[in-house]
Amino acid sequence: MTNELAQRAQELRQLIFKTIYWAGGGHIPSSLSIAEILVVLYFRFLRVDPQDPHAQDRDRFILSKGHAGVALFSVLAMKGFFDRKLLASACHLGSPLGGHPDMVKVPGVDASTGSLGHGFPYGAGIAFAGKQDQKDYKVYCLLGDGECQEGSVWEAAIFAAQHKLDNLVAITDYNKLQAIDFLDNVGSLSPLADKWKAFGWEVVEVNGHDTEDISCALKKVPFKKGKPSMVIAHTVKGKGISFMENAPIWHYRMPNTEELKIALKDLQLSEEDLKSL
Amino acid sequence: MRTAYIETITKLTKENPKIYSMVGDNGAIVFDDYRRDFARNFVNFGIAEATMTSVAAGMASCGAIPFIYTIIPFLVMRAYEQIRNDICLQQMNVKIVGIGAGLKYSTLGPTHHAIEDLALMRVLPNITILSPADAKETRKATELAAHLQGPVYLRLGTNKEHVVYEGDHSFELGKAVVLQEGYDVTLMATGDLVWDALMAVKKLSAEGLSVRLLNFHTIKPLDDKQILKAARETKKIITIENHSVIGGLGSAVAEVLAQSHDEAILKRLGINDQFCVAYADYESLKDCYGLSANKIAAATMDFVEQK
């Protein structure tokens, strides 16, 4: 299973890169850092049916860091929510796929995100509704670490703990970078786990690129009955493309011809592979 | 209006458990019965309006009908992006209930006044905007909001608004109510100032003026037909609103007139591109800003006499 998931993560990285290449631009490093998290969720935990994307009792996945939308589109295509050829249309006129996910347009997307600090409270609302309606679905919500600088994240943290939303599972993509710099140089969140604990959450820290580690944590949710769960996933922004890893400048930038060659090699793609999705 | 709203939402919740009443740490005493009888449906978010708005949208995605309620600036302005992205963009069935329209929270000062909200909400796609004139109309507007599928902004005053409607009256989405027919000038009012306009009309009628009075309880969709009819038949129009003259009813009417072939002169009464800096009781503040019945009557008389 672990090998299979690691392979899927590699495939997802290739799809992400190819999709953004075809789109002509996008958030590559922010998408690459969550590859393992997404494949573990979609191929191991989420109870979702690509044939029935609006099923009322389905688990929800909210990509609160909506700028990694291409990663979500790619994993949805891998899961069969739509034909992966659709990825080639992203950001082109007439496509339902853009730079950020839109739940009205894209099957499998549970929330339209893009503006940070929205998806998480929105997901808390779905979790709250689930409790009220006595449903047994879970809501998984992936947050960016920079996103946790938004006040609304902490408003929702208070709300979720207050209402004992143990059906809410948040995952922080803790890659320590935001758009133009390291968090520690801008608005440090350290110590992040202590912050969430202080807000009434149960916290587990994992290696966000180790599918087994992520799985072990998610198997145990809720970490404590009556409390919301937070998985802090330590990740590397740009993971998988050597020159993008931990390099702030790549947040929204496309490689030049020379850099492209390196990126393809890093992702085990040929130039021929790049021609089709 | 507030009591009428709460009594109506209580009745609606009895009929439909999907309705939720969510507040931003307000409604002490007035919500006591609701809190006791519908504990499951009442959520006090505390002072976290942005999250209240997003949570409501998430709940609506699961079939709930949340009414989110607090003082207008804290909801419409603080949580504006949440209203735009999470409610309107996704067409979520959330009802945004703002209290303290215009200068209603008179002595609390400009932080609590709401003279920009119509401008902000009018520009959002997919939303319906209701601005009832009195308690009776608030009941009808609340019922309508509950039954409409999609985002609604319900703009309310507080309590003890004057009574505009003694008997039963029609309330139809997007249809202005003709409160009085007339042919010299048309007054178009919204919210609690409909009463002040009505008092002005009574005074003017006694002085021999033929004044038409329209109550615009719906700001969006706007009743273009009544505006154009008034333009043709009375040639002079005055808008009256508990709001800035920029972006609210006056602007909406101006937009309709500017694109029509019917010529009419428009005068907008409201707050003239300024914050209200005076502290006083509500009736005095209205008078300060030219929105009392006497001031409306005087402005109307001047306007009619102008060539």
Side-chain angles (χ1 to χ4, degrees), chain B residues 64-79:
Chain B
I65 308 172
F67 280 65
I68 53 176
Y69 168 102
T70 190
I71 297 170
I72 293 170
F74 313 154
L75 193 54
V76 171
M77 294 175 204
R78 174 79 60 102

Side-chain angles (χ1 to χ4, degrees), chain A:
Chain A
M1 190 70 168
T2 307
N3 263 344
E4 184 199 322
L5 287 173
Q7 273 173 19
R8 285 194 191 277
Q10 172 69 3
E11 185 189 350
L12 178 56
R13 284 202 168 83
Q14 293 172 341
L15 269 185
I16 289 166
F17 187 78
K18 289 202 281 186
T19 302
I20 293 178
Y21 177 81
W22 278 62
H27 294 89
I28 302 172
S30 307
S31 300
L32 294 177
S33 70
I34 60 172
E36 282 81 8
I37 298 167
L38 289 183
V39 297
V40 168
L41 282 170
Y42 274 90
F43 292 99
R44 195 149 183 201
F45 288 97
L46 284 172
R47 291 171 303 166
V48 291
D49 178 3
Q51 304 307 315
D52 188 8
H54 299 293
Q56 284 191 358
D57 294 336
R58 73 190 187 280
D59 287 338
R60 266 71 164 187
F61 174 71
I62 313 279
L63 183 67
S64 202
K65 48 168 286 184
H67 54 288
V70 168
L72 177 58
F73 300 151
S74 301
V75 80
L76 288 174
M78 285 169 66
K79 186 78 180 170
F81 279 90
F82 47 82
D83 193 321
R84 67 174 66 189
K85 286 198 184 82
L86 189 65
L87 295 172
S89 72
C91 298
H92 294 289
L93 206 59
S95 177
L97 309 178
H100 296 96
D102 186 328
M103 68 178 283
V104 180
K105 297 183 186 134
V106 187
V109 171
D110 287 324
S112 302
T113 52
S115 179
L116 298 173
H118 285 243
F120 180 51
Y122 184 89
I126 298 176
F128 181 68
K131 286 283 180 194
Q132 294 289 93
D133 298 339
Q134 296 174 323
K135 303 270 190 191
D136 74 345
Y137 62 71
K138 286 193 176 66
V139 180
Y140 296 86
C141 185
L142 181 51
L143 288 149
D145 50 4
E147 180 178 15
C148 293
Q149 290 167 344
E150 291 281 4
S152 59
V153 168
W154 301 100
E155 288 182 13
I158 293 170
F159 173 79
Q162 181 69 31
H163 292 275
K164 302 182 169 55
L165 302 184
D166 59 9
N167 56 346
L168 178 61
V169 185
I171 303 165
T172 303
D173 174 24
Y174 199 15
N175 60 36
K176 289 95 185 168
L177 272 166
Q178 53 194 100
I180 66 167
D181 205 345
F182 291 88
L183 266 77
D184 279 350
N185 296 334
V186 181
S188 177
L189 293 171
S190 183
L192 186 58
D194 288 348
K195 284 189 172 64
W196 285 98
K197 283 177 197 163
F199 274 74
W201 287 59
E202 281 294 305
V203 182
V204 169
E205 300 196 54
V206 302
N207 174 347
H209 297 306
D210 182 334
T211 55
E212 192 53 36
D213 209 16
I214 302 166
S215 296
C216 278
L218 291 179
K219 255 189 275 182
K220 293 180 199 142
V221 296
F223 299 139
K224 192 167 184 185
K225 196 168 163 43
K227 280 185 150 193
S229 305
M230 166 56 76
V231 177
I232 294 179
H234 292 271
T235 57
V236 174
K237 189 163 172 176
K239 176 78 175 173
I241 298 181
S242 51
F243 57 89
M244 288 192 192
E245 291 186 0
N246 285 318
I249 197 165
W250 283 99
H251 180 73
Y252 192 91
R253 183 177 164 138
M254 291 298 281
N256 64 24
T257 315
E258 286 310 305
E259 290 158 345
L260 180 63
K261 282 180 188 160
I262 303 168
L264 291 176
K265 187 163 170 280
D266 288 346
L267 294 172
Q268 295 170 305
L269 286 168
S270 67
E271 289 195 21
E272 195 59 29
D273 289 333
L274 205 51
K275 288 181 185 162
S276 64
L277 262 157

Side-chain angles (χ1 to χ4, degrees), chain B residues 154-167:
Chain B
L154 181 56
R155 184 181 205 245
L156 303 180
T158 54
N159 260 347
K160 296 183 181 150
E161 281 80 13
H162 297 286
V163 176
V164 172
Y165 293 103
E166 296 289 352

Side-chain angles (χ1 to χ4, degrees), chain A residues 103 115 118 132 152 155, chain B residues 20 40 51 81 86 90 92:
Chain A
M103 68 178 283
S115 179
H118 285 243
Q132 294 289 93
S152 59
E155 288 182 13
Chain B
Y20 283 83
R40 176 188 169 276
T51 278
E81 201 202 16
D86 304 343
Q90 311 185 66
M92 284 301 163

